[in-house]
Coordinates of all heavy atoms in Angstrom, one line a residue:
L25 N 77.1 54.8 160.8 CA 78.3 54.1 160.6 C 79.1 53.8 161.9 O 80.2 53.2 161.9 CB 79.3 54.9 159.7 CG 79.0 54.8 158.3 CD1 79.6 56.0 157.4 CD2 79.5 53.5 157.7
Y26 N 78.5 54.1 163.0 CA 79.1 54.0 164.4 C 79.4 52.5 164.6 O 78.6 51.6 164.4 CB 78.3 54.5 165.5 CG 78.9 54.3 166.9 CD1 80.0 55.0 167.3 CD2 78.5 53.2 167.7 CE1 80.5 54.9 168.6 CE2 79.1 53.0 168.9 CZ 80.1 53.9 169.4 OH 80.6 53.7 170.6
G27 N 80.7 52.2 165.0 CA 81.1 50.8 165.4 C 81.5 49.9 164.3 O 81.8 48.8 164.4
R28 N 81.5 50.5 163.0 CA 81.8 49.7 161.9 C 83.4 49.5 161.8 O 84.0 50.5 162.0 CB 81.4 50.3 160.5 CG 79.9 50.6 160.4 CD 79.1 49.2 160.5 NE 77.7 49.3 160.0 CZ 76.7 49.9 160.8 NH1 76.9 50.4 162.0 NH2 75.4 49.9 160.2
A29 N 83.8 48.4 161.5 CA 85.3 48.1 161.5 C 85.8 49.0 160.3 O 85.1 49.0 159.2 CB 85.5 46.6 161.3
R30 N 87.0 49.5 160.4 CA 87.6 50.2 159.3 C 89.1 50.2 159.4 O 89.6 49.9 160.5 CB 87.1 51.7 159.4 CG 87.6 52.4 160.7 CD 87.1 53.8 160.7 NE 87.6 54.5 161.9 CZ 87.2 54.5 163.1 NH1 86.0 53.8 163.3 NH2 87.8 55.2 164.0
S31 N 89.7 50.4 158.3 CA 91.2 50.5 158.3 C 91.5 52.0 158.1 O 90.9 52.7 157.4 CB 91.8 49.6 157.1 OG 91.6 48.3 157.3
E32 N 92.6 52.4 158.7 CA 93.0 53.9 158.6 C 94.5 53.9 158.2 O 95.3 53.2 158.8 CB 92.8 54.6 159.9 CG 91.3 54.8 160.3 CD 91.2 55.7 161.5 OE1 92.2 56.3 161.9 OE2 89.9 55.8 162.0
I33 N 94.7 54.7 157.3 CA 96.2 54.9 156.9 C 96.4 56.4 157.1 O 95.7 57.3 156.6 CB 96.4 54.5 155.4 CG1 96.3 53.1 155.2 CG2 97.7 55.1 154.9 CD1 95.0 52.6 154.8
H34 N 97.4 56.7 158.0 CA 97.6 58.2 158.3 C 99.0 58.6 157.6 O 100.0 57.9 157.7 CB 97.8 58.3 159.8 CG 96.6 58.1 160.6 ND1 95.8 59.2 161.0 CD2 96.0 56.9 160.9 CE1 94.8 58.7 161.7 NE2 94.8 57.4 161.7
L35 N 98.8 59.7 156.9 CA 100.0 60.2 156.2 C 100.4 61.5 156.9 O 99.7 62.3 157.3 CB 99.7 60.6 154.7 CG 99.8 59.5 153.7 CD1 98.8 58.4 153.9 CD2 99.7 60.1 152.3
K36 N 101.8 61.5 157.1 CA 102.4 62.7 157.8 C 103.3 63.5 156.9 O 103.7 62.9 155.8 CB 103.1 62.2 159.0 CG 102.2 61.5 160.1 CD 103.0 61.1 161.3 CE 102.2 60.5 162.4 NZ 102.9 60.1 163.5
N37 N 103.6 64.6 157.3 CA 104.7 65.3 156.5 C 106.1 64.6 156.6 O 106.3 63.8 157.5 CB 104.9 66.7 157.1 CG 103.7 67.6 156.9 OD1 102.9 67.4 156.0 ND2 103.7 68.7 157.7
F38 N 106.8 64.8 155.6 CA 108.2 64.3 155.6 C 109.0 64.6 156.8 O 109.0 65.8 157.2 CB 108.9 64.5 154.3 CG 108.4 63.7 153.1 CD1 108.8 64.1 151.8 CD2 107.7 62.6 153.2 CE1 108.4 63.4 150.7 CE2 107.3 61.9 152.1 CZ 107.6 62.3 150.9
T39 N 109.9 63.9 157.3 CA 110.9 64.3 158.2 C 112.0 65.1 157.4 O 112.0 65.1 156.2 CB 111.7 63.0 158.8 OG1 112.3 62.3 157.8 CG2 110.6 62.1 159.5
H40 N 112.9 65.7 158.1 CA 113.9 66.4 157.5 C 114.8 65.5 156.5 O 115.0 65.9 155.5 CB 114.9 66.9 158.6 CG 116.0 67.9 158.1 ND1 117.1 67.4 157.5 CD2 116.1 69.2 158.1 CE1 117.8 68.4 157.1 NE2 117.3 69.6 157.6
E41 N 115.1 64.3 156.9 CA 115.8 63.4 156.2 C 115.1 62.9 154.9 O 115.6 62.9 153.8 CB 116.4 62.2 156.9 CG 117.4 61.4 156.1 CD 118.7 62.2 155.7 OE1 119.1 63.1 156.4 OE2 119.1 61.9 154.6
Q42 N 113.8 62.7 155.1 CA 112.9 62.3 154.0 C 112.8 63.5 152.9 O 112.7 63.2 151.7 CB 111.6 61.9 154.4 CG 111.5 60.5 155.1 CD 110.1 60.2 155.7 OE1 109.4 61.1 156.2 NE2 109.8 59.0 155.7
S43 N 112.7 64.6 153.4 CA 112.5 65.8 152.5 C 113.8 66.0 151.8 O 113.8 66.2 150.5 CB 112.3 67.1 153.4 OG 111.0 67.0 154.1
R44 N 115.0 65.9 152.4 CA 116.2 66.0 151.7 C 116.4 64.9 150.6 O 116.8 65.2 149.4 CB 117.3 65.8 152.8 CG 118.7 65.9 152.2 CD 119.8 65.8 153.2 NE 121.1 65.9 152.8 CZ 121.7 67.1 152.4 NH1 121.1 68.2 152.7 NH2 122.9 67.1 151.9
T45 N 116.0 63.7 150.9 CA 116.1 62.5 150.0 C 115.2 62.8 148.8 O 115.6 62.6 147.7 CB 115.8 61.2 150.6 OG1 116.7 61.0 151.7 CG2 116.0 60.1 149.6
F46 N 113.9 63.2 149.2 CA 112.9 63.5 148.1 C 113.5 64.6 147.1 O 113.4 64.4 145.9 CB 111.6 64.0 148.8 CG 110.6 64.3 147.7 CD1 109.8 63.4 147.2 CD2 110.3 65.7 147.4 CE1 108.7 63.7 146.4 CE2 109.3 66.0 146.5 CZ 108.5 65.0 146.0
L47 N 114.0 65.7 147.6 CA 114.5 66.6 146.7 C 115.7 66.3 145.9 O 115.7 66.5 144.7 CB 114.8 68.0 147.5 CG 113.6 68.7 148.1 CD1 114.1 69.8 149.0 CD2 112.8 69.4 147.0
I48 N 116.6 65.6 146.6 CA 117.9 65.2 145.8 C 117.6 64.2 144.8 O 118.1 64.3 143.6 CB 118.9 64.7 146.9 CG1 119.4 65.8 147.7 CG2 120.0 64.0 146.2 CD1 120.4 65.3 148.9
E49 N 116.8 63.2 145.1 CA 116.5 62.2 144.1 C 115.6 62.7 143.0 O 115.7 62.4 141.9 CB 115.8 61.0 144.9 CG 116.6 60.2 145.8 CD 117.9 59.6 145.1 OE1 117.7 59.1 144.0 OE2 119.0 59.6 145.7
G50 N 114.7 63.6 143.4 CA 113.9 64.3 142.4 C 114.7 65.0 141.3 O 114.5 65.0 140.1
F51 N 115.6 65.9 141.8 CA 116.4 66.7 141.0 C 117.4 65.9 140.1 O 117.7 66.2 138.9 CB 117.2 67.7 141.7 CG 116.5 69.0 142.2 CD1 116.3 69.2 143.5 CD2 116.0 69.7 141.2 CE1 115.6 70.3 143.9 CE2 115.2 71.0 141.6 CZ 115.1 71.1 143.0

């Protein structure tokens, strides 16, 4: 598979503000 074109999507942990929004909106 070396050299094959590919797309990559990288997921990271939430930031402090994203975590806050996630919890508040979820509740």
Side-chain angles (χ1 to χ4, degrees):
L25 279 165
Y26 178 77
R28 303 300 196 279
R30 64 185 186 274
S31 295
E32 294 190 7
I33 292 93
H34 291 259
L35 275 65
K36 297 180 180 179
N37 291 341
F38 282 166
T39 64
H40 186 281
E41 191 56 38
Q42 286 176 323
S43 298
R44 182 179 179 81
T45 303
F46 177 82
L47 288 174
I48 290 173
E49 294 299 321
F51 280 119

